[in-house]
Amino acid sequence: MKLLMVAVNTVKPASISVRLHVMYMHSASYRHRSGKKIMASHIVGYPRMGPKRELKFALESFWDKKSSAEELEKVAADLRASIWKQMADAGIKYIPGNTFSYYDQVLDTIALLGAVPPRYNWSGGEIGFDTYFSMARGNASVPAMEMTKWFDTNYHFIVPELGPDVKFSYASHKAVNEYKEAKALGVDTVPVLVGPFTFLSLSKPAKGVEKTFNKLSLLDKILPIYKEVIADLKAAGASWIQFDEPILVMDLESHQLQAFTKAYSELESSFSGLNVLIETYFADVPEEAFKAVTSLSGVSAIGFDLVRGAKTLDLIKGGFPAGKYLFAGVVDGRNIWANDLAASLTTLQALEGIVGKDKLVVSTSSSLLHTAVDLVNEPKLDKEIKSWLAFAAQKVVEVDALAKALSGAKDEAFFSANAAAQASRKSSPRVTNEAVQKAAAALRGSDHRRATNVSARLDAQQKKLNLPILPTTTIGSFPQTLELRRVRREYKAKKISEDGYVKAIKEEISKVVKLQEELDIDVLVHGEPERNDMVEYFGEQLSGFAFTANGWVQSYGSRCVKPPIIYGDVSRPNPMTVFWSSTAQSMTKRPMKGMLTGPVTILNWSFVRNDQPRFETCYQIALAIKDEVEDLEKAGINVIQIDEAALREGLPLRKAEHAFYLDWAVHSFRITNCGVQDTTQIHTHMCYSNFNDIIHSIIDMDADVITIENSRSDEKLLSVFREGVKYGAGIGPGVYDIHSPRIPSTEEIADRVNKMLAVLDTNILWVNPDCGLKTRKYAEVKPALQNMVAAAKQIRTQLASAK
């Protein structure tokens, strides 16, 4: 078995597009050549895929057995070395280590603690690639672990499965190995660990103990392993350790905060001789959590998100403990807009007066994992828009520039260029469209509900569509083959003509339609062969959007997305999908779904302008999608799916802010389809989030049918219906996980459908996969869909004979 070890490689540091100041630092501060003492700087974390997605391609080659574990490890080691050197060359003092991952940092912590679910038959020892990737992706015999959204981001983490009988052990030495690897390259890193409190809080109880088990009761079992890791890191020479505890920004009860305090009090004896940083991010830290974390005696430093957590600034001003370091997250780790350096410097100067010059560290608001990697890879991006942006590499330079400016060694030219870019963005005529702003403002006078209730609409739709009970469908996309990607790539590069491109895409749609007819699927899709990404495809056809060539961001595992940049007011100049949907419908007599991405998902999966409220931008997108929905209906498309996969992930982390968000998000969805006829069936789709707490808002969306991820999350969705929630619209909880190569049997799918029928009426249940099939291979898709249809038919027969 190949172990999850790391190799030591010496590589040349990758370039950063903004000029670098080579300043290797060996103390909390150092002296600039001017003689001024420079403030310390810190990066919470850095993208791990590489500037050209090197890790993605290495992983997929390894999974396909086209390359060896050693070749994968070599790519990974080169990326790590490049990132560490990059930050060192940029002058960053506190460089994060152990933020690299082959899949996910929470999965890495599962491996660290040996918390492998029994179904993977792990026999102990150092966890290797086989066990690690089986937990992430499943294998031929067992499904993958559940995956869900990391707080309110589009990054997905593997959810730990824990119960009272879990036997923890120190089963992955990745953290200490990577520290030693960096040290051998001359870079002293700050090892980063997912904190014990966040790890347990984000886990789920194992099957059978869901309602009785207190996850935090496991603190006493995992803290000894954390102590072993700390001891190993200390022995290797680490002087700082960073514990990520983002759960502290959530609404926590007093017993949870007591458990947090107890955990770090227990670890305190291990901290002797170390500086310990507790890092929080993504929102304000509530006052009680602020008190808890700032009161820890064994903790040297605390990091706060001061971009999304502006209220935390008031708490700091109200009292920050003397002697502790404040890691001030003033450079946005979640978005791609250039920092307003002058404003950030003012904030830092105010903080310096509170905590003292030697105790203030300039930092990012969160890990830069959630941003694109480097603007240097965007030579074709519009120059004016490019001047408004900062990707991860540029944010590293911004942090360093602020640290120097705070010390009196301000780079006046750099700050002047930044101020000019800020002014350009505010005054640019390409940002504002008065007609769009007026139309969006007018929306607030109505709730935009369809005139007829959903049960009456479903009756009208059934008369027109004549579907069987338990109708089968898929979520939208079909496998994107290498040939298909080649065609799109060559068309974009103008190597093939528009006629040649249209011919190739029509041929692909025809294949997908015929396959679905052969499989006897009831409501078809065209497979989306013309689409690169479900958000980017639409953004490319809407005004107010800009696009990158290499602005990739990790979503999960090797899956990366390239979020569009919304820089201005949004409108739809021309129809976007009508031609392809009409073409597909002409190939079959069965209903063909028109496939759209909803306004909330386009918003949440883009880099959004930060110069107006998010809801205003969302209303603008909703109006553009509304135009498209109505054009599809006019073209004879009777079933239209408006995906809102990201509705849940945009939910604010604090409960007090939920109602406002859900009100405008649900309203935005209703705007898109409020004008269609009763006979037009509106579907929506959601995936990979916990929906139970927003089920009433989902109902309020008033869609005719919702398809929703269910199988990978152990059918948690069904529990809400068992608890008495009544749902009258059509619903299709996913019957199998498409993010795993595993092919479910007919019996397994039938068992899932029967569980659904125990809590849902027969006449509203649909049968479908969890999500789109874009990332799968046809060798997996065909048998899986065949088994899905067979299961639906089997249960239809059983239901008919039971009458």
Side-chain angles (χ1 to χ4, degrees), residues 462-494:
Q462 179 59 16
K463 288 175 184 175
K464 188 167 189 174
L465 299 173
N466 193 29
L467 298 172
I469 61 167
L470 307 181
T472 55
T473 191
T474 64
I475 303 306
S477 60
F478 265 64
Q480 297 254 328
T481 63
L482 290 175
E483 173 63 16
L484 187 55
R485 294 175 192 271
R486 181 192 65 78
V487 167
R488 282 206 312 268
R489 187 170 60 249
E490 291 188 355
Y491 175 60
K492 196 169 186 178
K494 298 182 179 178

PDB file of all heavy atoms in Angstrom, residues 462-494:
ATOM      1  N   GLN A 462     -49.753  17.343 -16.118  1.00  0.00           N
ATOM      2  CA  GLN A 462     -49.864  15.911 -16.369  1.00  0.00           C
ATOM      3  C   GLN A 462     -50.739  15.622 -17.582  1.00  0.00           C
ATOM      4  O   GLN A 462     -50.451  14.709 -18.371  1.00  0.00           O
ATOM      5  CB  GLN A 462     -50.416  15.196 -15.123  1.00  0.00           C
ATOM      6  CG  GLN A 462     -50.606  13.694 -15.266  1.00  0.00           C
ATOM      7  CD  GLN A 462     -49.319  12.941 -15.620  1.00  0.00           C
ATOM      8  OE1 GLN A 462     -48.216  13.461 -15.493  1.00  0.00           O
ATOM      9  NE2 GLN A 462     -49.465  11.715 -16.100  1.00  0.00           N
ATOM     10  N   LYS A 463     -51.775  16.412 -17.753  1.00  0.00           N
ATOM     11  CA  LYS A 463     -52.640  16.238 -18.932  1.00  0.00           C
ATOM     12  C   LYS A 463     -51.847  16.464 -20.216  1.00  0.00           C
ATOM     13  O   LYS A 463     -52.087  15.812 -21.231  1.00  0.00           O
ATOM     14  CB  LYS A 463     -53.827  17.192 -18.864  1.00  0.00           C
ATOM     15  CG  LYS A 463     -54.862  16.801 -17.814  1.00  0.00           C
ATOM     16  CD  LYS A 463     -55.963  17.845 -17.686  1.00  0.00           C
ATOM     17  CE  LYS A 463     -56.930  17.474 -16.567  1.00  0.00           C
ATOM     18  NZ  LYS A 463     -57.943  18.540 -16.341  1.00  0.00           N
ATOM     19  N   LYS A 464     -50.901  17.379 -20.157  1.00  0.00           N
ATOM     20  CA  LYS A 464     -50.113  17.695 -21.348  1.00  0.00           C
ATOM     21  C   LYS A 464     -48.949  16.723 -21.537  1.00  0.00           C
ATOM     22  O   LYS A 464     -48.656  16.287 -22.654  1.00  0.00           O
ATOM     23  CB  LYS A 464     -49.581  19.124 -21.244  1.00  0.00           C
ATOM     24  CG  LYS A 464     -48.919  19.625 -22.512  1.00  0.00           C
ATOM     25  CD  LYS A 464     -48.718  21.131 -22.447  1.00  0.00           C
ATOM     26  CE  LYS A 464     -48.258  21.659 -23.804  1.00  0.00           C
ATOM     27  NZ  LYS A 464     -48.198  23.136 -23.822  1.00  0.00           N
ATOM     28  N   LEU A 465     -48.277  16.352 -20.437  1.00  0.00           N
ATOM     29  CA  LEU A 465     -47.062  15.541 -20.534  1.00  0.00           C
ATOM     30  C   LEU A 465     -47.333  14.044 -20.507  1.00  0.00           C
ATOM     31  O   LEU A 465     -46.544  13.249 -21.026  1.00  0.00           O
ATOM     32  CB  LEU A 465     -46.104  15.909 -19.393  1.00  0.00           C
ATOM     33  CG  LEU A 465     -45.612  17.367 -19.363  1.00  0.00           C
ATOM     34  CD1 LEU A 465     -44.802  17.628 -18.089  1.00  0.00           C
ATOM     35  CD2 LEU A 465     -44.761  17.675 -20.594  1.00  0.00           C
ATOM     36  N   ASN A 466     -48.415  13.632 -19.821  1.00  0.00           N
ATOM     37  CA  ASN A 466     -48.815  12.220 -19.745  1.00  0.00           C
ATOM     38  C   ASN A 466     -47.660  11.321 -19.285  1.00  0.00           C
ATOM     39  O   ASN A 466     -47.294  10.345 -19.939  1.00  0.00           O
ATOM     40  CB  ASN A 466     -49.336  11.748 -21.118  1.00  0.00           C
ATOM     41  CG  ASN A 466     -50.049  10.405 -21.013  1.00  0.00           C
ATOM     42  OD1 ASN A 466     -50.622  10.078 -19.970  1.00  0.00           O
ATOM     43  ND2 ASN A 466     -49.996   9.623 -22.078  1.00  0.00           N
ATOM     44  N   LEU A 467     -47.118  11.635 -18.110  1.00  0.00           N
ATOM     45  CA  LEU A 467     -45.991  10.880 -17.572  1.00  0.00           C
ATOM     46  C   LEU A 467     -46.477   9.720 -16.707  1.00  0.00           C
ATOM     47  O   LEU A 467     -47.545   9.794 -16.097  1.00  0.00           O
ATOM     48  CB  LEU A 467     -45.109  11.796 -16.721  1.00  0.00           C
ATOM     49  CG  LEU A 467     -44.453  12.976 -17.454  1.00  0.00           C
ATOM     50  CD1 LEU A 467     -43.776  13.906 -16.454  1.00  0.00           C
ATOM     51  CD2 LEU A 467     -43.447  12.474 -18.483  1.00  0.00           C
ATOM     52  N   PRO A 468     -45.696   8.636 -16.611  1.00  0.00           N
ATOM     53  CA  PRO A 468     -46.055   7.531 -15.710  1.00  0.00           C
ATOM     54  C   PRO A 468     -45.819   7.949 -14.260  1.00  0.00           C
ATOM     55  O   PRO A 468     -45.184   8.974 -13.989  1.00  0.00           O
ATOM     56  CB  PRO A 468     -45.091   6.421 -16.119  1.00  0.00           C
ATOM     57  CG  PRO A 468     -43.886   7.147 -16.627  1.00  0.00           C
ATOM     58  CD  PRO A 468     -44.418   8.382 -17.297  1.00  0.00           C
ATOM     59  N   ILE A 469     -46.308   7.156 -13.311  1.00  0.00           N
ATOM     60  CA  ILE A 469     -45.926   7.411 -11.927  1.00  0.00           C
ATOM     61  C   ILE A 469     -44.426   7.119 -11.788  1.00  0.00           C
ATOM     62  O   ILE A 469     -43.850   6.357 -12.570  1.00  0.00           O
ATOM     63  CB  ILE A 469     -46.737   6.564 -10.917  1.00  0.00           C
ATOM     64  CG1 ILE A 469     -46.517   5.067 -11.164  1.00  0.00           C
ATOM     65  CG2 ILE A 469     -48.206   6.934 -10.954  1.00  0.00           C
ATOM     66  CD1 ILE A 469     -47.033   4.205 -10.027  1.00  0.00           C
ATOM     67  N   LEU A 470     -43.793   7.731 -10.819  1.00  0.00           N
ATOM     68  CA  LEU A 470     -42.342   7.641 -10.631  1.00  0.00           C
ATOM     69  C   LEU A 470     -41.597   7.962 -11.927  1.00  0.00           C
ATOM     70  O   LEU A 470     -40.783   7.173 -12.417  1.00  0.00           O
ATOM     71  CB  LEU A 470     -41.929   6.250 -10.124  1.00  0.00           C
ATOM     72  CG  LEU A 470     -42.627   5.719  -8.881  1.00  0.00           C
ATOM     73  CD1 LEU A 470     -42.078   4.351  -8.513  1.00  0.00           C
ATOM     74  CD2 LEU A 470     -42.460   6.681  -7.712  1.00  0.00           C
ATOM     75  N   PRO A 471     -41.859   9.115 -12.532  1.00  0.00           N
ATOM     76  CA  PRO A 471     -41.172   9.456 -13.786  1.00  0.00           C
ATOM     77  C   PRO A 471     -39.667   9.555 -13.574  1.00  0.00           C
ATOM     78  O   PRO A 471     -39.193  10.008 -12.530  1.00  0.00           O
ATOM     79  CB  PRO A 471     -41.774  10.805 -14.175  1.00  0.00           C
ATOM     80  CG  PRO A 471     -42.357  11.358 -12.920  1.00  0.00           C
ATOM     81  CD  PRO A 471     -42.766  10.190 -12.092  1.00  0.00           C
ATOM     82  N   THR A 472     -38.927   9.120 -14.566  1.00  0.00           N
ATOM     83  CA  THR A 472     -37.462   9.146 -14.494  1.00  0.00           C
ATOM     84  C   THR A 472     -36.912  10.312 -15.306  1.00  0.00           C
ATOM     85  O   THR A 472     -37.455  10.684 -16.344  1.00  0.00           O
ATOM     86  CB  THR A 472     -36.866   7.841 -15.027  1.00  0.00           C
ATOM     87  OG1 THR A 472     -37.362   7.598 -16.357  1.00  0.00           O
ATOM     88  CG2 THR A 472     -37.232   6.671 -14.137  1.00  0.00           C
ATOM     89  N   THR A 473     -35.831  10.863 -14.818  1.00  0.00           N
ATOM     90  CA  THR A 473     -35.128  11.932 -15.532  1.00  0.00           C
ATOM     91  C   THR A 473     -33.702  11.977 -15.033  1.00  0.00           C
ATOM     92  O   THR A 473     -33.333  11.252 -14.096  1.00  0.00           O
ATOM     93  CB  THR A 473     -35.835  13.296 -15.328  1.00  0.00           C
ATOM     94  OG1 THR A 473     -35.275  14.259 -16.241  1.00  0.00           O
ATOM     95  CG2 THR A 473     -35.685  13.810 -13.903  1.00  0.00           C
ATOM     96  N   THR A 474     -32.880  12.813 -15.662  1.00  0.00           N
ATOM     97  CA  THR A 474     -31.540  13.085 -15.148  1.00  0.00           C
ATOM     98  C   THR A 474     -31.458  14.580 -14.863  1.00  0.00           C
ATOM     99  O   THR A 474     -32.373  15.333 -15.183  1.00  0.00           O
ATOM    100  CB  THR A 474     -30.441  12.657 -16.139  1.00  0.00           C
ATOM    101  OG1 THR A 474     -30.560  13.441 -17.327  1.00  0.00           O
ATOM    102  CG2 THR A 474     -30.553  11.181 -16.465  1.00  0.00           C
ATOM    103  N   ILE A 475     -30.351  15.006 -14.297  1.00  0.00           N
ATOM    104  CA  ILE A 475     -30.274  16.380 -13.786  1.00  0.00           C
ATOM    105  C   ILE A 475     -29.864  17.387 -14.852  1.00  0.00           C
ATOM    106  O   ILE A 475     -30.139  18.573 -14.727  1.00  0.00           O
ATOM    107  CB  ILE A 475     -29.327  16.439 -12.576  1.00  0.00           C
ATOM    108  CG1 ILE A 475     -29.793  15.458 -11.492  1.00  0.00           C
ATOM    109  CG2 ILE A 475     -29.243  17.833 -11.994  1.00  0.00           C
ATOM    110  CD1 ILE A 475     -31.248  15.632 -11.073  1.00  0.00           C
ATOM    111  N   GLY A 476     -29.216  16.945 -15.937  1.00  0.00           N
ATOM    112  CA  GLY A 476     -28.901  17.897 -17.005  1.00  0.00           C
ATOM    113  C   GLY A 476     -27.725  17.495 -17.853  1.00  0.00           C
ATOM    114  O   GLY A 476     -27.865  17.212 -19.040  1.00  0.00           O
ATOM    115  N   SER A 477     -26.534  17.455 -17.275  1.00  0.00           N
ATOM    116  CA  SER A 477     -25.343  17.198 -18.073  1.00  0.00           C
ATOM    117  C   SER A 477     -25.110  15.703 -18.253  1.00  0.00           C
ATOM    118  O   SER A 477     -25.467  14.885 -17.404  1.00  0.00           O
ATOM    119  CB  SER A 477     -24.116  17.827 -17.411  1.00  0.00           C
ATOM    120  OG  SER A 477     -23.905  17.284 -16.122  1.00  0.00           O
ATOM    121  N   PHE A 478     -24.484  15.361 -19.401  1.00  0.00           N
ATOM    122  CA  PHE A 478     -23.994  14.009 -19.673  1.00  0.00           C
ATOM    123  C   PHE A 478     -22.473  14.083 -19.784  1.00  0.00           C
ATOM    124  O   PHE A 478     -21.893  15.181 -19.798  1.00  0.00           O
ATOM    125  CB  PHE A 478     -24.644  13.466 -20.949  1.00  0.00           C
ATOM    126  CG  PHE A 478     -25.866  12.623 -20.660  1.00  0.00           C
ATOM    127  CD1 PHE A 478     -26.980  13.196 -20.070  1.00  0.00           C
ATOM    128  CD2 PHE A 478     -25.887  11.268 -20.927  1.00  0.00           C
ATOM    129  CE1 PHE A 478     -28.099  12.435 -19.766  1.00  0.00           C
ATOM    130  CE2 PHE A 478     -27.003  10.486 -20.628  1.00  0.00           C
ATOM    131  CZ  PHE A 478     -28.109  11.066 -20.044  1.00  0.00           C
ATOM    132  N   PRO A 479     -21.800  12.929 -19.823  1.00  0.00           N
ATOM    133  CA  PRO A 479     -20.330  12.957 -19.789  1.00  0.00           C
ATOM    134  C   PRO A 479     -19.718  13.880 -20.838  1.00  0.00           C
ATOM    135  O   PRO A 479     -20.146  13.895 -21.996  1.00  0.00           O
ATOM    136  CB  PRO A 479     -19.950  11.494 -20.043  1.00  0.00           C
ATOM    137  CG  PRO A 479     -21.086  10.719 -19.470  1.00  0.00           C
ATOM    138  CD  PRO A 479     -22.311  11.531 -19.793  1.00  0.00           C
ATOM    139  N   GLN A 480     -18.721  14.632 -20.397  1.00  0.00           N
ATOM    140  CA  GLN A 480     -17.982  15.521 -21.301  1.00  0.00           C
ATOM    141  C   GLN A 480     -16.728  14.759 -21.730  1.00  0.00           C
ATOM    142  O   GLN A 480     -15.730  14.720 -21.011  1.00  0.00           O
ATOM    143  CB  GLN A 480     -17.627  16.816 -20.585  1.00  0.00           C
ATOM    144  CG  GLN A 480     -18.839  17.618 -20.162  1.00  0.00           C
ATOM    145  CD  GLN A 480     -19.070  18.853 -21.019  1.00  0.00           C
ATOM    146  OE1 GLN A 480     -18.136  19.470 -21.511  1.00  0.00           O
ATOM    147  NE2 GLN A 480     -20.318  19.235 -21.183  1.00  0.00           N
ATOM    148  N   THR A 481     -16.816  14.149 -22.910  1.00  0.00           N
ATOM    149  CA  THR A 481     -15.713  13.329 -23.403  1.00  0.00           C
ATOM    150  C   THR A 481     -14.546  14.199 -23.858  1.00  0.00           C
ATOM    151  O   THR A 481     -14.680  15.402 -24.080  1.00  0.00           O
ATOM    152  CB  THR A 481     -16.186  12.471 -24.584  1.00  0.00           C
ATOM    153  OG1 THR A 481     -16.581  13.354 -25.657  1.00  0.00           O
ATOM    154  CG2 THR A 481     -17.379  11.598 -24.189  1.00  0.00           C
ATOM    155  N   LEU A 482     -13.381  13.574 -24.013  1.00  0.00           N
ATOM    156  CA  LEU A 482     -12.208  14.293 -24.504  1.00  0.00           C
ATOM    157  C   LEU A 482     -12.470  14.867 -25.888  1.00  0.00           C
ATOM    158  O   LEU A 482     -12.039  15.983 -26.204  1.00  0.00           O
ATOM    159  CB  LEU A 482     -11.000  13.348 -24.536  1.00  0.00           C
ATOM    160  CG  LEU A 482     -10.437  12.908 -23.178  1.00  0.00           C
ATOM    161  CD1 LEU A 482      -9.340  11.879 -23.375  1.00  0.00           C
ATOM    162  CD2 LEU A 482      -9.890  14.110 -22.411  1.00  0.00           C
ATOM    163  N   GLU A 483     -13.178  14.119 -26.721  1.00  0.00           N
ATOM    164  CA  GLU A 483     -13.494  14.591 -28.068  1.00  0.00           C
ATOM    165  C   GLU A 483     -14.375  15.828 -28.011  1.00  0.00           C
ATOM    166  O   GLU A 483     -14.178  16.794 -28.763  1.00  0.00           O
ATOM    167  CB  GLU A 483     -14.181  13.469 -28.855  1.00  0.00           C
ATOM    168  CG  GLU A 483     -14.712  13.880 -30.218  1.00  0.00           C
ATOM    169  CD  GLU A 483     -13.609  14.327 -31.186  1.00  0.00           C
ATOM    170  OE1 GLU A 483     -12.416  14.042 -30.926  1.00  0.00           O
ATOM    171  OE2 GLU A 483     -13.949  14.979 -32.192  1.00  0.00           O
ATOM    172  N   LEU A 484     -15.345  15.816 -27.133  1.00  0.00           N
ATOM    173  CA  LEU A 484     -16.253  16.959 -26.978  1.00  0.00           C
ATOM    174  C   LEU A 484     -15.492  18.198 -26.499  1.00  0.00           C
ATOM    175  O   LEU A 484     -15.683  19.306 -27.010  1.00  0.00           O
ATOM    176  CB  LEU A 484     -17.351  16.593 -25.983  1.00  0.00           C
ATOM    177  CG  LEU A 484     -18.497  17.581 -25.794  1.00  0.00           C
ATOM    178  CD1 LEU A 484     -19.148  17.908 -27.113  1.00  0.00           C
ATOM    179  CD2 LEU A 484     -19.520  16.988 -24.825  1.00  0.00           C
ATOM    180  N   ARG A 485     -14.618  18.003 -25.541  1.00  0.00           N
ATOM    181  CA  ARG A 485     -13.811  19.124 -25.044  1.00  0.00           C
ATOM    182  C   ARG A 485     -12.897  19.658 -26.155  1.00  0.00           C
ATOM    183  O   ARG A 485     -12.658  20.864 -26.256  1.00  0.00           O
ATOM    184  CB  ARG A 485     -12.993  18.692 -23.821  1.00  0.00           C
ATOM    185  CG  ARG A 485     -13.839  18.359 -22.602  1.00  0.00           C
ATOM    186  CD  ARG A 485     -12.960  17.817 -21.467  1.00  0.00           C
ATOM    187  NE  ARG A 485     -13.758  17.230 -20.407  1.00  0.00           N
ATOM    188  CZ  ARG A 485     -14.230  17.897 -19.364  1.00  0.00           C
ATOM    189  NH1 ARG A 485     -14.003  19.190 -19.258  1.00  0.00           N
ATOM    190  NH2 ARG A 485     -14.938  17.285 -18.429  1.00  0.00           N
ATOM    191  N   ARG A 486     -12.379  18.742 -26.978  1.00  0.00           N
ATOM    192  CA  ARG A 486     -11.514  19.157 -28.094  1.00  0.00           C
ATOM    193  C   ARG A 486     -12.290  20.038 -29.069  1.00  0.00           C
ATOM    194  O   ARG A 486     -11.785  21.078 -29.521  1.00  0.00           O
ATOM    195  CB  ARG A 486     -10.959  17.930 -28.824  1.00  0.00           C
ATOM    196  CG  ARG A 486     -10.032  18.278 -29.982  1.00  0.00           C
ATOM    197  CD  ARG A 486      -9.738  17.076 -30.860  1.00  0.00           C
ATOM    198  NE  ARG A 486     -10.937  16.591 -31.532  1.00  0.00           N
ATOM    199  CZ  ARG A 486     -11.480  17.174 -32.613  1.00  0.00           C
ATOM    200  NH1 ARG A 486     -10.936  18.252 -33.144  1.00  0.00           N
ATOM    201  NH2 ARG A 486     -12.570  16.657 -33.175  1.00  0.00           N
ATOM    202  N   VAL A 487     -13.516  19.648 -29.388  1.00  0.00           N
ATOM    203  CA  VAL A 487     -14.340  20.424 -30.323  1.00  0.00           C
ATOM    204  C   VAL A 487     -14.578  21.831 -29.789  1.00  0.00           C
ATOM    205  O   VAL A 487     -14.427  22.825 -30.522  1.00  0.00           O
ATOM    206  CB  VAL A 487     -15.687  19.702 -30.572  1.00  0.00           C
ATOM    207  CG1 VAL A 487     -16.685  20.623 -31.283  1.00  0.00           C
ATOM    208  CG2 VAL A 487     -15.472  18.435 -31.391  1.00  0.00           C
ATOM    209  N   ARG A 488     -14.943  21.931 -28.525  1.00  0.00           N
ATOM    210  CA  ARG A 488     -15.190  23.257 -27.939  1.00  0.00           C
ATOM    211  C   ARG A 488     -13.920  24.093 -27.925  1.00  0.00           C
ATOM    212  O   ARG A 488     -13.945  25.294 -28.208  1.00  0.00           O
ATOM    213  CB  ARG A 488     -15.749  23.124 -26.519  1.00  0.00           C
ATOM    214  CG  ARG A 488     -17.217  22.758 -26.460  1.00  0.00           C
ATOM    215  CD  ARG A 488     -17.852  23.262 -25.161  1.00  0.00           C
ATOM    216  NE  ARG A 488     -17.062  22.935 -23.996  1.00  0.00           N
ATOM    217  CZ  ARG A 488     -17.199  21.847 -23.264  1.00  0.00           C
ATOM    218  NH1 ARG A 488     -18.139  20.973 -23.567  1.00  0.00           N
ATOM    219  NH2 ARG A 488     -16.441  21.627 -22.216  1.00  0.00           N
ATOM    220  N   ARG A 489     -12.821  23.446 -27.581  1.00  0.00           N
ATOM    221  CA  ARG A 489     -11.546  24.156 -27.501  1.00  0.00           C
ATOM    222  C   ARG A 489     -11.124  24.679 -28.880  1.00  0.00           C
ATOM    223  O   ARG A 489     -10.684  25.828 -29.019  1.00  0.00           O
ATOM    224  CB  ARG A 489     -10.482  23.221 -26.925  1.00  0.00           C
ATOM    225  CG  ARG A 489      -9.145  23.872 -26.632  1.00  0.00           C
ATOM    226  CD  ARG A 489      -8.236  22.941 -25.841  1.00  0.00           C
ATOM    227  NE  ARG A 489      -7.956  21.697 -26.548  1.00  0.00           N
ATOM    228  CZ  ARG A 489      -8.410  20.501 -26.167  1.00  0.00           C
ATOM    229  NH1 ARG A 489      -9.173  20.388 -25.090  1.00  0.00           N
ATOM    230  NH2 ARG A 489      -8.104  19.417 -26.851  1.00  0.00           N
ATOM    231  N   GLU A 490     -11.275  23.845 -29.904  1.00  0.00           N
ATOM    232  CA  GLU A 490     -10.867  24.249 -31.246  1.00  0.00           C
ATOM    233  C   GLU A 490     -11.797  25.311 -31.815  1.00  0.00           C
ATOM    234  O   GLU A 490     -11.361  26.199 -32.551  1.00  0.00           O
ATOM    235  CB  GLU A 490     -10.806  23.025 -32.168  1.00  0.00           C
ATOM    236  CG  GLU A 490      -9.665  22.083 -31.810  1.00  0.00           C
ATOM    237  CD  GLU A 490      -9.479  20.964 -32.819  1.00  0.00           C
ATOM    238  OE1 GLU A 490     -10.306  20.861 -33.757  1.00  0.00           O
ATOM    239  OE2 GLU A 490      -8.509  20.198 -32.668  1.00  0.00           O
ATOM    240  N   TYR A 491     -13.068  25.254 -31.453  1.00  0.00           N
ATOM    241  CA  TYR A 491     -13.991  26.293 -31.913  1.00  0.00           C
ATOM    242  C   TYR A 491     -13.643  27.634 -31.272  1.00  0.00           C
ATOM    243  O   TYR A 491     -13.631  28.675 -31.942  1.00  0.00           O
ATOM    244  CB  TYR A 491     -15.429  25.895 -31.571  1.00  0.00           C
ATOM    245  CG  TYR A 491     -16.452  26.966 -31.911  1.00  0.00           C
ATOM    246  CD1 TYR A 491     -16.607  27.418 -33.210  1.00  0.00           C
ATOM    247  CD2 TYR A 491     -17.261  27.516 -30.914  1.00  0.00           C
ATOM    248  CE1 TYR A 491     -17.541  28.395 -33.533  1.00  0.00           C
ATOM    249  CE2 TYR A 491     -18.193  28.498 -31.220  1.00  0.00           C
ATOM    250  CZ  TYR A 491     -18.331  28.931 -32.523  1.00  0.00           C
ATOM    251  OH  TYR A 491     -19.246  29.904 -32.834  1.00  0.00           O
ATOM    252  N   LYS A 492     -13.320  27.585 -29.997  1.00  0.00           N
ATOM    253  CA  LYS A 492     -12.947  28.813 -29.293  1.00  0.00           C
ATOM    254  C   LYS A 492     -11.665  29.401 -29.879  1.00  0.00           C
ATOM    255  O   LYS A 492     -11.489  30.628 -29.944  1.00  0.00           O
ATOM    256  CB  LYS A 492     -12.766  28.511 -27.800  1.00  0.00           C
ATOM    257  CG  LYS A 492     -12.761  29.737 -26.913  1.00  0.00           C
ATOM    258  CD  LYS A 492     -12.840  29.349 -25.444  1.00  0.00           C
ATOM    259  CE  LYS A 492     -12.980  30.577 -24.569  1.00  0.00           C
ATOM    260  NZ  LYS A 492     -13.099  30.210 -23.128  1.00  0.00           N
ATOM    261  N   ALA A 493     -10.750  28.514 -30.312  1.00  0.00           N
ATOM    262  CA  ALA A 493      -9.488  28.965 -30.910  1.00  0.00           C
ATOM    263  C   ALA A 493      -9.624  29.250 -32.400  1.00  0.00           C
ATOM    264  O   ALA A 493      -8.629  29.534 -33.078  1.00  0.00           O
ATOM    265  CB  ALA A 493      -8.411  27.907 -30.679  1.00  0.00           C
ATOM    266  N   LYS A 494     -10.867  29.148 -32.924  1.00  0.00           N
ATOM    267  CA  LYS A 494     -11.169  29.426 -34.336  1.00  0.00           C
ATOM    268  C   LYS A 494     -10.444  28.470 -35.284  1.00  0.00           C
ATOM    269  O   LYS A 494     -10.088  28.836 -36.400  1.00  0.00           O
ATOM    270  CB  LYS A 494     -10.844  30.878 -34.675  1.00  0.00           C
ATOM    271  CG  LYS A 494     -11.668  31.875 -33.863  1.00  0.00           C
ATOM    272  CD  LYS A 494     -11.387  33.310 -34.233  1.00  0.00           C
ATOM    273  CE  LYS A 494     -12.271  34.243 -33.397  1.00  0.00           C
ATOM    274  NZ  LYS A 494     -11.997  35.672 -33.684  1.00  0.00           N
TER     275      LYS A 494
END
